[in-house]
Amino acid sequence: MQISTTRSTETVSDERLAEVLADPGFGVHFTDHMFRVEWTPDAGWHGARIEPYGPLTLDPATAVLHYAQETFEGMKAYRHADGSVWSFRPEENAARMARSSQRLALPVLEVDDFVQAVQALVEVDERWVPDPAGEKSLYLRPFMFASEAFLGVRPAQHVTFMVIASPAGSYFKGGVHPVSLWLTEEYTRAGRGGMGAAKTGGNYASSLVAQQEATAHGCDQVVFLDAQEGKYVEELGGMNMYFVHADGRIVTPETGTILEGITRASIKELAEKLGHPVEERKFSIQEWKDGVASGEITEIFACGTAAVVTPVGALRWDGGEVATPEGGGLWSRLRQALVDVQYGRAADDFGWMKRLV
Ligand SMILES: *Cc1c(COP(=O)(O)O)cnc(C)c1O
């Protein structure tokens, strides 16, 4: 892919940047540039460019605003101690976006083009990649949307793919603490044949009211059950789940209606390397309740790019609660193993890291 570059003439000053990187928060500050490429049926992907970061001008009839034909990805760029900048399994994000896009009837952007786009943006905005202390990183948000101005219901004939970047601090302020979960019995996130396995804004839109319910009950996150039987654990709003058993085995809900997390897949490989076989299967809410009560389940954790791995605390629902299992700290060892690879402090035995700058 041929990428043209128009450099910003109003880049943020070194002083201001240092201030931002000292306490970046999440998703509030954006880098000086953005990547953009357009698609039409006749020309395919064309006009790839890096340009100054700024607002988009959209026709009010732009299809995505009405019918939510959209997909996105979430990934990070990590600075290593020698100053180099790396990403974690970016081809997996690219491949997942291709699958999501197929589900949303959007055109597929080739894996190589996706990775090239991400790399091009990180190259021009390299000074925005924070130092690794405190688990800081540059969060990358590739996204694709129906940019055709047309109110008819059909796949858009004009599509835009962009990448924006935002420095991020650690997900946990003041140390990792267990997240409490609200079990929603009213809402589900995905049904059979639906788009639960696609990373698309609509899944997030539908999860917000359940998240509100969780917050109203004093919980940090919501856990969804399967839509068909209301029996099996699916995932949190944006994190996959793992259940550690007394014999060292780990169970994680099978794929199909859940989002196939790249952290989930990586944790599976790391856990198996540490001698913990991982079973992917249906896991019922009853098995959760019974397993904690009997001591069969020793630990529960959730994972995703933003938090990496977080221990799960109490589970609450209307009229009940399951306490937090004691825990043997496996979540913490896995988390450490993963961030050590990401920040270049441990050998990259699986070949997961790709150098960007
Ligand atoms: C992105 C996402 C995850 C986590 O995926 P990672 O690739 O590990 O970041 C889990 N669940 C949902 C619904 C997601 O959108």
Side-chain angles (χ1 to χ4, degrees):
M1 182 168 55
Q2 198 63 37
I3 304 175
S4 68
T5 300
T6 307
R7 287 199 172 254
S8 169
T9 52
E10 292 165 39
T11 58
V12 73
S13 69
D14 288 342
E15 295 71 30
R16 177 67 191 134
L17 182 58
E19 244 171 62
V20 167
L21 296 187
D23 184 18
F26 180 81
V28 276
H29 304 285
F30 297 92
T31 63
D32 294 317
H33 299 87
M34 57 191 190
F35 172 88
R36 183 170 182 169
V37 62
E38 315 289 339
W39 178 90
T40 55
D42 294 341
W45 291 107
H46 61 275
R49 59 201 186 272
I50 296 280
E51 59 193 15
Y53 187 92
L56 304 176
T57 301
L58 294 179
D59 190 292
T62 300
V64 67
L65 302 177
H66 303 274
Y67 307 127
Q69 196 191 3
E70 185 265 3
T71 58
F72 70 95
E73 273 301 323
M75 53 204 289
K76 289 172 173 174
Y78 308 86
R79 192 177 293 284
H80 288 188
D82 66 358
S84 58
V85 177
W86 300 70
S87 62
F88 179 75
R89 310 187 77 177
E91 305 83 6
E92 295 296 321
N93 293 94
R96 184 169 67 189
M97 175 168 257
R99 294 196 299 275
S100 300
S101 295
Q102 266 159 348
R103 178 63 185 83
L104 274 286
L106 285 163
V108 164
L109 183 70
E110 294 301 327
V111 168
D112 288 350
D113 292 338
F114 177 104
V115 174
Q116 196 194 344
V118 164
Q119 180 156 18
L121 182 61
V122 174
E123 271 169 7
V124 291
D125 283 334
E126 192 248 326
R127 66 193 190 112
W128 285 83
V129 183
D131 286 331
E135 273 184 21
K136 286 177 191 163
S137 61
L138 183 65
Y139 184 79
L140 302 165
R141 169 52 61 87
F143 60 107
M144 189 185 292
F145 61 97
S147 46
E148 184 183 12
F150 178 57
L151 288 187
V153 180
R154 58 147 170 72
Q157 304 297 293
H158 193 284
V159 172
T160 302
F161 169 80
M162 301 187 67
V163 187
I164 56 175
S166 172
S170 172
Y171 184 83
F172 298 99
K173 293 243 184 298
V176 180
H177 70 98
V179 291
S180 55
L181 301 184
W182 174 254
L183 176 66
T184 177
E185 290 168 297
E186 179 167 8
Y187 303 107
T188 61
R189 68 172 292 282
R192 196 169 67 85
M195 56 185 196
K199 208 166 177 76
T200 177
N203 286 337
Y204 280 71
S206 86
S207 77
L208 296 177
V209 65
Q211 179 61 43
Q212 273 181 330
E213 197 183 271
T215 307
H217 287 88
C219 294
D220 298 316
Q221 294 262 340
V222 59
V223 53
F224 290 99
L225 299 178
D226 76 283
Q228 220 158 349
E229 296 180 73
K231 256 168 70 176
Y232 299 103
V233 178
E234 299 239 300
E235 62 170 310
L236 310 187
M239 280 192 269
N240 298 121
M241 297 200 71
Y242 281 98
F243 299 85
V244 185
H245 289 65
D247 63 3
R249 250 178 331 119
I250 304 179
V251 178
T252 191
E254 64 189 6
T255 58
T257 49
I258 64 166
L259 196 283
E260 292 180 43
I262 294 160
T263 318
R264 174 186 179 279
S266 309
I267 289 289
K268 177 173 151 66
E269 293 195 53
L270 283 174
E272 288 179 343
K273 197 174 124 190
L274 294 180
H276 294 271
V278 177
E279 289 172 19
E280 299 187 51
R281 61 168 169 87
K282 284 194 192 326
F283 186 84
S284 74
I285 190 70
Q286 197 58 44
E287 204 175 341
W288 181 341
K289 293 175 185 174
D290 295 346
V292 172
S294 70
E296 171 63 16
I297 292 175
T298 54
E299 224 177 288
I300 306 173
F301 59 86
C303 66
T305 295
V308 193
V309 175
T310 172
V312 164
L315 170 72
R316 299 194 189 99
W317 64 93
D318 215 359
E321 170 161 353
V322 177
T324 311
E326 186 83 2
L330 178 60
W331 71 268
S332 169
R333 293 195 293 283
L334 288 168
R335 185 176 201 285
Q336 198 60 46
L338 190 53
V339 297
D340 281 349
V341 171
Q342 291 171 333
Y343 287 96
R345 298 185 295 245
D348 177 19
D349 293 338
F350 294 102
W352 285 338
M353 302 305 292
K354 178 179 166 57
R355 185 163 180 175
L356 297 178
V357 183

